[in-house]
């Protein structure tokens, strides 16, 4: 139990950093945020006196499993995060007030902490039909989001919905579900994909910002390198089975009972960047592969587009659910063979005469060596 | 003159719900419930591999995560006539029970409690008196005066920081809050403890399904394998882990949840007369103990109660195209045969067509279409679904544990059975259900151990896995009881692909707009007559709405 | 009809070397690639620690990937410095005559609706253009291959190709297209080898052996016509 909540400066001091380091962090943050150097003073000030970082958490087209995952975090536990580390001023899932009192909480923070709050977004934002597919308090999610984004210091896009559009953006994307990164520019966006992201990855991302005073280093797709720089396959404990060519052929077969690699029953670990095999789920208890099911690729763009999930190769667009590139390739190969045979037969019929003539005329009389000079 | 008040967003639920209510003389005389978000998952499923459907539908909701996956694999198994091994049934049951315990506890403490518990009042509690009350109601060890004073201090620091976070702008001090400060303090303590506890029980999903939220399912069984002599499968360590989690869960429910429920309820007995709503209750039943085909083996029995008549349980046939139908008279959809038609889900259609006001708007046009939820009816009757329906059907059918526990609760509150048909009844039923489920889960665990001991380690039936083994056309229905009530998926498979897929979801039953005959569904009906002390602070409205534990992502999908 | 033949040195050694190294690596890459995509169940009750065959298949794929790639890079270079049959101008149609020739070749050799064999010395224009497309696919296959490989390698070289992954919106897409393109090579090889035999057969100029020794037999008259080409 904390006696008094330390300011961020005190917390950072507690981690063994000097004030100079702290100022450097702040300068770095300011630079990252694209603030003028005059803005640096403000960032320092904000971080030293503000007790808890204000956070607004918006809900768009979602299943709320990102929130559910977040409350499962075990280090730190979520109670400590919301009481001691951040001020979670708006989240429809947990906040006490409803209706216009809830909207008041949102607007108070947007006004009072303009430019200082972190905006978390869970869910996608539908653009179809002017955004009527998701409304909150009579406004479209798009309107609410744009307003909240304009005053945010940085944005965290939670989960596959906010980063890549998740299942609702799967073909035919009936509501034109759209992602945070497609709608905002000029603000730092941290993409934390996964359906949902691992609880401790979510907590870790927030704590990184709080502890180090800056957003974590991101990869080319805006994901924190600390959690998304490795494929599940690179750290999967079944990897030796993969290398040894030991595969589960079908669920619950002898190989499955031995824990062989799930590649042939569709595991997407080789094309999926996530920390599942390292951090594991629910405080390290397991992860999909450990419990016998292949990775679905839930932290990847368009993971739902690579079905069927139980085949290594996705079905080929426009053909049956089971038709892979290999089936089509084999069919084309066979067609080619047929074509070649037909062509060869036709050649022999049509060109026979001509060839016979050629054979006769073309006695090679002089074999000369001068052809080579034609170089050049 | 009636005054229209709007509550949007309804918070502490899953999803986007808007309530509009007409208030006259301090009472609600009419109400409208509207779901304001849609994704079109039913459209997205068309043309896909039926074996993949569970992963798509599971993403309908991360709060009741797993139930859509379960309904989905069941509807495919039903269509293709696949029987799953007994162990797979037990694994599914264990995951089912783990979800119930987690979801109900989170609902009680984190979604519902702040309707009854005044956090600010807890600051005034006497830690010593609090400790005495806590120790008098439960052997739960975290109950010393020091524990409560420490918590109070932490709470005070938090409030004095001026940053109230999720507690800002709550209805603190509202006259409808009735608990003494000491019980409020216990409530706050257990709010935090339950928050920490709930992440434990879902580890069962991680063990059996690889993760939570959104663990993995499999058509034909369960993806996890049993091999007691292998490090990579369910072995004794994994099984013992499950058992330990189940035991801890039972302790928490028995020593924290139930005592809290019984401590809070007496202060709110007036709510046993408010919020009754529709008088029909539906339960598909679940937790098979002898294969899903044997409905009589269900721990949670199947049936319908009409007009609150507990003496007659009516049968349901989900394949009868005249029984369950969905209407869109007041929903933003088109049907090929007009707005008045009702459609059985096998023939269901999902054509989005928004005709509501242009945002930003102040009021919905409730005389025409006003919600993204369709309106399900059983033989044209509105049904309530959820823990209350399940407990009523189990009570009426005479399930021993349910009858015993329900009677004990009623006796403690000195209330008649009729008190169950209310806001408070719904909240109590959820607690009773959690307690029986905690017991049943341990039975399922024992059964799993017994099977393994007898040499049965089968977990999946893969005979009809390959699409070549499927008929050209097939239809199926998958039923389950989600925490919030009766859930079913209907599938039509053609040429190995999904031709049609329809979900009819608990919150669709409860929260839908009125039907073609103008009949209200459960949310709307239950608000009629509810007193509202201060229209600016709609605490009473959210109390009754929360008692259903709404999930709008589910309801609309 | 010119009947006197002359031996002409068409394919310089680097082209021939390129050709056979290329053909070999493609063969190896297609076979190992196919196995990577569809591993056979050749072991069942083994322990992982005693086997590494799948890893070896992948290793061979990566090894030949490098050979294939640098061989290809060398061919690109040689397209600037080699003889006129090796030049890039053969591949990318840029003159009216080349387009006209493509049309004629198509009619004569493929549809067989016109007679009179057309006798190019190096590649005919249509073949050249097909090779150009093939070179583009080589490039695509190398970029996607190294793109996926960059995630499993610490070497700087594959990292030069990481950009393709976000460009194709994720590893899964890159991998699927890499796999799909394998079939291009299979089908190309079938047609190519057939056509080489076909030309050898109908023209009798030693097309097959030309990729061995570099020499073709060309009609004297044709050679005269061609000096300005
Ligand atoms: C003619 C050229 C090539 C062909 C036909 C070919 C074919 C294939 C095929 C069919 C696969 C299996 C894909 C799957 O189903 O997952 C594959 C995998 C792969 N190829 Fe190639 N490939 C070629 C060139 C290259 C090159 C130049 C590279 C460069 C490094 C490369 C790197 C890879 C990698 C990294 C994989 C994935 C292996 C794994 O994850 O274990 N390939 N290739
Ligand atoms: C029995 C096998 C093969 C023979 C006899 C052969 C023969 C030849 C000949 C004669 C040429 C010149 C073609 C012309 O004048 O139009 C050629 C070019 C070419 N062949 Fe093959 N080939 C064989 C297999 C392959 C294979 C398997 C591949 C790769 C998939 C391949 C790729 C190429 C390429 C890319 C060229 C253009 C070369 C350049 O100009 O640098 N060949 N081949
Ligand atoms: N309504 C609903 Fe669900 C549940 N329980 C499910 O089917 O919450 Ni998300
Ligand atoms: S990313 Fe997945 S888990 Fe998170 S809200 Fe979206 S659907 Fe749910
Ligand atoms: S189970 Fe999946 S992630 Fe693990 S080694 Fe096999 S393919 Fe890779
Ligand atoms: S499905 Fe998702 S949870 Fe991890 S193992 Fe794959 S990224
Ligand atoms: Mg539906």
């Amino acid at each position: 139990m904390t006696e008094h909540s330390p300011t961020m400066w005190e917390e950072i001091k507690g981690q063994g950093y000097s004030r100079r380091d702290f100022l450097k962090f702040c300068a770095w943050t300011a630079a990252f945020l694209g603030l003028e150097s005059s803005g640096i003073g403000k960032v320092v000030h904000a971080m030293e006196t503000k007790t808890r970082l204000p956070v607004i958490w918006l809900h768009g087209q979602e299943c709320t499993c990102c929130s559910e995952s977040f409350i499962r975090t075990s280090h730190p536990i979520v109670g400590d995060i919301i009481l001691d580390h951040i001020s979670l001023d708006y989240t429809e899932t947990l906040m006490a007030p409803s209706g216009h009192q809830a909207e008041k909480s949102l607007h108070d923070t947007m006004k009072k902490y303009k430019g200082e709050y972190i905006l978390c977004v869970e869910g996608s934002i539908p653009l179809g039909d002017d955004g009527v597919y998701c409304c909150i308090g009579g406004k479209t999610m798009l309107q609410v989001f744009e307003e909240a984004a304009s005053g945010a210091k940085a944005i965290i896009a939670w989960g596959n919905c906010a980063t890549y559009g998740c299942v609702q953006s799967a073909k035919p994307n009936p509501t034109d579900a759209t992602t945070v990164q497609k709608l905002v520019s000029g603000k730092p966006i941290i993409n934390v994909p996964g359906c949902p992201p691992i609880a401790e990855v979510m907590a870790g991302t927030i704590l990184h910002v709080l502890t180090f005073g800056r957003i974590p280093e991101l990869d080319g797709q805006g994901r924190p390198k600390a959690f998304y720089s490795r494929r599940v396959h690179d750290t999967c404990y079944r990897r030796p089975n993969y290398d040894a060519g030991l595969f589960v052929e079908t669920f619950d077969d002898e190989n499955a009972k031995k824990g062989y690699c799930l590649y042939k029953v569709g595991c997407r670990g080789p094309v999926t960047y996530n920390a599942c095999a390292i951090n594991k789920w629910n405080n390290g208890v397991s992860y999909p592969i450990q419990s016998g099911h292949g990775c679905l690729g839930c932290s990847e763009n368009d993971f739902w587009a690579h079905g069927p999930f139980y085949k290594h190769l996705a079905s080929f667009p426009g053909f049956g659910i089971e038709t892979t590139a290999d089936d089509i390739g084999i069919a084309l190969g066979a067609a080619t063979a047929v074509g070649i045979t037909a062509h060869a037969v036709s050649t022999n019929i049509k060109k026979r005469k001509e060839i016979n003539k050629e054979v006769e005329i073309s006695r090679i009389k002089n074999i000369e060596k001068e052809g080579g000079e034609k170089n050049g | 003159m009636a005054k229209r008040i709007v509550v949007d967003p309804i918070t502490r639920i899953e999803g986007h719900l808007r309530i509009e209510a007409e208030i006259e003389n301090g009472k609600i005389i009419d109400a409208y419930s509207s779901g304001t978000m849609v994704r079109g998952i039913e459209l997205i499923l068309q043309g896909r591999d039926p074996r993949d459907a569970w992963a798509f539908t599971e993403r309908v909701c991360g709060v009741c995560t797993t139930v859509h996956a379960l309904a989905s694999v069941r509807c495919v198994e039903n269509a293709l006539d696949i029987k799953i091994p007994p162990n797979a049934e037990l694994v599914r049951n264990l995951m089912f029970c783990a979800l119930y315990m987690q979801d109900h506890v989170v609902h009680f403490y984190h979604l519902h409690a702040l309707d009854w518990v005044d956090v600010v009042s807890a600051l005034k509690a006497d830690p010593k008196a609090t400790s005495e009350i806590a120790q008098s109601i439960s052997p739960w060890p975290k109950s010393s005066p020091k524990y409560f004073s420490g918590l109070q201090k932490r709470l005070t620091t938090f409030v004095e920081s001026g940053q109230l976070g999720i507690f800002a702008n709550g209805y603190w001090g509202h006259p409808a809050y009735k608990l003494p400060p000491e019980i409020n303090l216990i409530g706050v303590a257990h709010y935090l403890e339950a928050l920490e506890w709930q992440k434990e029980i879902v580890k069962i999903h991680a063990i059996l399904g690889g993760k939570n939220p959104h663990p993995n399912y499999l058509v034909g069984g369960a993806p996890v394998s049993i091999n007691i002599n292998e490090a990579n499968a369910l072995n004794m360590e994994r099984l013992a882990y499950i058992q330990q989690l189940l035991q801890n869960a039972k302790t928490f429910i028995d020593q924290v949840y139930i005592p809290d429920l019984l401590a809070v309820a007496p202060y709110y007995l007036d709510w046993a007369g408010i919020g009754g709503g529709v008088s029909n209750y539906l339960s598909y039943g679940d937790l098979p103990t002898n294969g899903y085909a044997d409905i009589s083996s269900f721990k949670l029995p199947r049936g319908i109660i009409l007009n609150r008549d507990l003496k007659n349980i009516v049968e349901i046939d989900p394949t009868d195209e005249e029984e369950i139908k969905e209407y869109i008279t007041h929903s933003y959809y088109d049907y090929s045969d007009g707005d008045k038609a009702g459609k059985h889900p096998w023939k269901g259609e999902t054509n989005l067509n928004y005709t509501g006001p242009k945002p930003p708007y102040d009021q919905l046009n409730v005389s025409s279409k006003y919600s993204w939820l369709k309106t399900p009816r059983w033989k044209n009757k509105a049904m309530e679904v959820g823990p209350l329906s399940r407990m009523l059907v189990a009570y009426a059918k005479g399930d021993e544990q349910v009858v015993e526990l329900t009677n004990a609760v009623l006796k403690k509150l000195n209330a008649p059975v009729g008190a169950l048909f209310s806001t408070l009844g719904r909240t109590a039923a959820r607690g009773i259900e959690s307690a029986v489920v905690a017991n049943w889960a341990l039975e399922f665990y024992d059964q799993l151990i017994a099977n393994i001991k007898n040499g049965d380690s089968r977990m999946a039936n893969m005979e009809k896995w390959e699409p070549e083994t499927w008929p050209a056309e097939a239809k199926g229905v998958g039923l389950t009881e989600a925490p919030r009530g009766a859930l079913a998926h209907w599938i039509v498979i053609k040429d190995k692909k999904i031709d049609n897929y329809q979900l009819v979801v608990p919150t669709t039953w409860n929260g839908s707009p009125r039907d073609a005959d103008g009949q209200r569904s459960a949310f709307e009906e239950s608000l009629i007559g509810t007193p509202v002390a201060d229209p600016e602070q709609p605490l009473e409205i959210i109390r009754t709405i929360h008692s259903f534990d709404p999930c709008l992502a589910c309801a609309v999908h | 009809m010119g009947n006197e033949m002359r031996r002409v040195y068409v394919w310089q050694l680097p082209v021939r070397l390129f050709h056979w190294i290329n053909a070999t690596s493609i063969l190896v890459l297609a076979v190992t690639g196919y196995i990577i995509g569809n591993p056979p169940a050749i072991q069942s009750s083994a322990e992982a620690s005693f086997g590494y065959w799948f890893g070896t298949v992948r290793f061979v794929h990566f090894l030949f990937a490098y050979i294939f790639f640098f061989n290809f890079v060398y061919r690109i270079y040689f397209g600037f410095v080699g003889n006129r049959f090796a030049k890039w101008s053969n591949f990318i149609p840029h003159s009216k005559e080349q387009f006209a020739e493509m049309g004629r070749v198509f009619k004569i050799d493929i549809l067989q609706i016109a007679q009179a064999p057309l006798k190019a010395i190096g590649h005919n224009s249509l073949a050249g253009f097909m090779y150009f497309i093939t070179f583009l696919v080589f490039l695509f296959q190398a970029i996607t291959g190294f793109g996926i490989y960059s995630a499993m390698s610490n070497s700087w070289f594959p990292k030069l190709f990481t950009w393709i992954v976000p460009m194709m919106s994720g590893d899964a897409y890159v991998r699927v297209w890499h796999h799909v393109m394998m079939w291009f090579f299979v089908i190309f090889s079938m047609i190519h080898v057939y056509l080489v035999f076909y030309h050898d057969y109908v023209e009798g100029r030693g097309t097959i052996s030309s990729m061995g020794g570099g020499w073709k037999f060309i009609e004297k008259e044709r050679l005269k016509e061609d000096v300005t080409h």
Side-chain angles (χ1 to χ4, degrees), chain B residues 97-112:
Chain B
C97 293
L99 171 68
Y100 264 49
M101 292 188 266
Q102 188 268 349
D103 205 3
H104 285 357
V105 166
V106 166
H107 176 261
F108 184 73
Y109 286 103
H110 308 115
L111 306 184
H112 206 14

Side-chain angles (χ1 to χ4, degrees), chain B residues 314-449:
Chain B
V314 181
E315 309 249 302
I316 320 160
D317 181 358
T319 63
D320 181 342
E321 303 199 352
E322 289 310 309
E323 291 196 8
I324 294 169
K325 288 185 183 172
E326 282 195 305
Y327 293 85
I328 50 135
T329 320
H330 288 282
S331 320
Y332 305 128
Y333 300 90
D334 281 338
Y335 272 174
S336 51
D337 41 1
D339 276 357
K340 296 260 175 210
K343 285 191 174 292
H344 184 269
W346 272 331
K347 303 222 168 90
E349 295 174 8
T350 305
N351 311 310
L352 311 183
N353 181 20
Y354 184 78
T355 52
K358 191 174 149 43
Y361 52 78
D362 292 325
Q363 277 190 11
L364 295 169
N365 182 3
V366 293
S367 60
S368 69
K369 294 174 183 270
Y370 62 92
S371 178
W372 283 113
L373 281 74
K374 294 178 187 170
T375 306
R377 289 292 181 255
W378 179 80
K379 295 195 176 169
N380 287 323
K381 290 184 169 52
M383 295 282 144
E384 173 173 339
V385 299
L388 176 58
S389 301
R390 284 190 295 262
M391 290 301 99
L392 288 174
V393 173
Y395 187 83
K397 284 203 165 177
D399 178 274
E400 241 172 71
Q401 291 192 33
V402 173
V403 170
E404 193 186 315
L405 212 69
T406 310
N407 287 341
V409 169
L410 289 171
K411 196 166 153 226
K412 175 109 199 193
L413 301 180
N414 201 9
V417 178
L420 290 171
F421 308 116
S422 67
T423 296
L424 191 63
R426 240 168 250 127
T427 300
R430 196 170 284 109
I432 294 168
E433 182 170 72
S434 305
V436 293
V437 161
N439 294 337
W440 293 340
L442 285 161
E443 292 176 27
F444 296 133
Y445 174 81
D446 291 341
Q447 189 58 49
L448 181 63
I449 296 293

Side-chain angles (χ1 to χ4, degrees), chain B residues 116-137:
Chain B
W116 315 101
V117 172
D118 185 336
V119 177
V120 174
S121 140
L123 296 174
K124 297 193 296 252
D126 169 16
K128 215 165 140 267
T130 310
S131 162
E132 274 160 23
I133 297 174
Q135 289 175 0
S136 74
I137 59 174

